[in-house]
Amino acid sequence: MNDTVPFGWLILLAAGGALLAVLSSRVVARVRVPAPALFLIAAAVAAHFAPTLHSIPHRTVERLVTIALIVILFDGGMHIGWRRLRGAAGVVLTVGVLGTFMTAAAIGALAHALFGLEWWVALLVGTAIAPTDPAVVFSVLGQREVVGRSGTVLEGESGANDPVGIALMTALLGAGAVDAGALGGVAGEFLLQMAVGGAVGIAGGQLLLLSMRRLPLPNEGLYPLRVLAAGLAIYGIAAVAHGSGFLAVFCAGILIGNERAPYKREIERFHSALASLGEIVAFVVLGCTVDLGDIAATSVWVPGLVLGVLLAVIVRPLVVGVCLLPFDLARNERAFVLWAGLKGAVPILLGSFLLTANVPERQRLYGIVVVVVVFSVLVQGGTVPLVARLLRVPMRLVEPEPWSLGVRLRGEPRGVHHFTIEPESPADGCTIRDLLDLSDEVWVSFAIRRQELLQVTGDTRLEAGDKVLVLAPPELRPHLDLAVTGAGA
C-alpha cells in the first residue's frame, strides 16, 4: 500500500481533467470554438510543458482512439437511424465514398505539385485529411440542431467516410507504392473491407436487435452494457474477417436506431454519454502526440495551412459540389454542406498511422495533417454559425430536458406515435379536433409546449415546437404522418 498516495494524486488529476473537460462546454457555448479543438490544443500545450506525456506509445494511442471511434460511430448510427437516413442514403453514399476518393486524390495531387512529395506519400496525406467529422460541426452549433436534409447529409457523410478513409489508408500503407499493380491491390483490399464490414454490420445489427427484444435481463442497468458489448463484438468480428469494423458498427447502429426495444431510451442515453467521453479521450490522447516544436517549423505549418485553405475553399466545394449535382437539395443547404465538412479525430488518427509506418518524413507529415485539422476546426468551425445564418439554413434550439414523465410497462406498448410540430407543417396552427379527425381510435395523450404540459382538449391549437404523443393503431401511421407532417403529400 506504499503507492496509495501517488495513486490518489493520479486519480485526483485524472478526475480534475475530466471535470474541466466536461465543464468546458460552458466556455464553448460562449466563444463558439468546438470543444474538440480545446481538448486537442490543451493536451498539446500540456505535453509541451510535461514531455513525459509524449512517451505514450503510438500503438496505445491508436487503440484508445479506435475504441473511442467505435463508440462514437455506433452512437452516431443510432442517432441517424434508417428512417432518417433512407431519404438521404443516395447522397450520403455518393459524398461519403466517391467524395472521399476524389478529395484524397485532389489533395494528393496538390501536395505532389506544390510541395514535391512523392505520389505515394502525397496520397497518404490526402487520404488522411479527406474524412470529415460532424461532431465538430454540431459542437460549434452548440444547442442548435440543423433542420432538414443538410444535417442528415453531414452526419451520414462522416459516418460513411470515416470507415472509407481508414480502409483506404490501410490499403495504401500495405501497398507501399503507387503503380498499376499496387492500385489494383488497394482497390481489392478496399472493396473487401467495405463488403465484409457492411455484411457483418447488417447481420450483427439484426442479431443485436433480436436479442434486445427477445432476451430479457435481470437488471435494467445491464441492457446498455449488453448493447455496448455487442457493438464491440461486431467491430471485432469484422476486423478478424479482414473487414472494416468501423463500417460494421456504424451500420449496426443505423439498423437499431429507430427500432423499438425494452429500455431503448436508457440505452440511447448511455451511449450518447459514452460517445461524449470517447470524443474527449480521443482528442486528448491525440493532442499528447502533437509536438509544438515540429508544428512551428516552416516546412510543416506552411504546407498545412496552404492545404487547409485549398481544401476548404476549392477542393471540397468542387468535389462535393460535383457529387451533389444529381440530388435535389435546396441551394442554401447545398452551400452549407460544402462549407461545413470539418475535420476532426479521424484525420489525426490516420496521420498517426504514418508515425508507426515506414514512411519518409513521417513526423513532418503528421504535423501537416494536424495543422490542416486545427485550421479546419478553428477557422471553418468558427464561421459555421455565421454561414448558417447567412444562408438561412433552418435550425432549432435543442434545450436540455432534465425531467421526464412516463410509466413503466412489462409489455411493449402498441400504437404509440411521437411527433414534433414543425413550422409551416399541416399541424402548425390547427386544432387537435380538426387535425386528427381521422378515426375514433386516434387519441392525443400528451402535448408539451415550452417545457410545460398542456391540458389537451379538442380546441387545443398546436404550435410549431409542440411535442405530441398520439395513441393510434399502427396501420394509421401513414395517415398521421400526412396529417401532422405533410409527409407523402
Side-chain angles (χ1 to χ4, degrees), residues 447-454 460-463 466:
I448 300 173
R449 177 177 300 160
R450 291 186 285 274
Q451 305 300 312
E452 296 289 342
L453 280 172
L454 295 179
T460 301
R461 192 171 297 276
L462 298 173
E463 298 178 2
D466 289 354

Side-chain angles (χ1 to χ4, degrees), residues 273-297:
L274 204 59
S276 297
L277 176 62
E279 182 181 330
I280 293 172
V281 170
F283 278 93
V284 168
V285 298
L286 286 172
C288 290
T289 65
V290 176
D291 190 324
L292 295 181
D294 291 339
I295 299 296

Side-chain angles (χ1 to χ4, degrees), residues 83-94 149 152-153 327 329:
R83 188 182 305 157
R84 182 180 168 206
L85 180 65
R86 182 168 49 196
V91 61
V92 165
L93 287 176
T94 303
R149 296 179 69 192
T152 304
V153 170
F327 302 99
L329 275 178

Side-chain angles (χ1 to χ4, degrees), residues 103-124:
T103 300
I107 293 298
L110 289 172
H112 173 75
L114 297 177
F115 305 108
L117 298 179
E118 297 180 9
W119 271 113
W120 179 60
V121 175
L123 286 176
L124 290 176

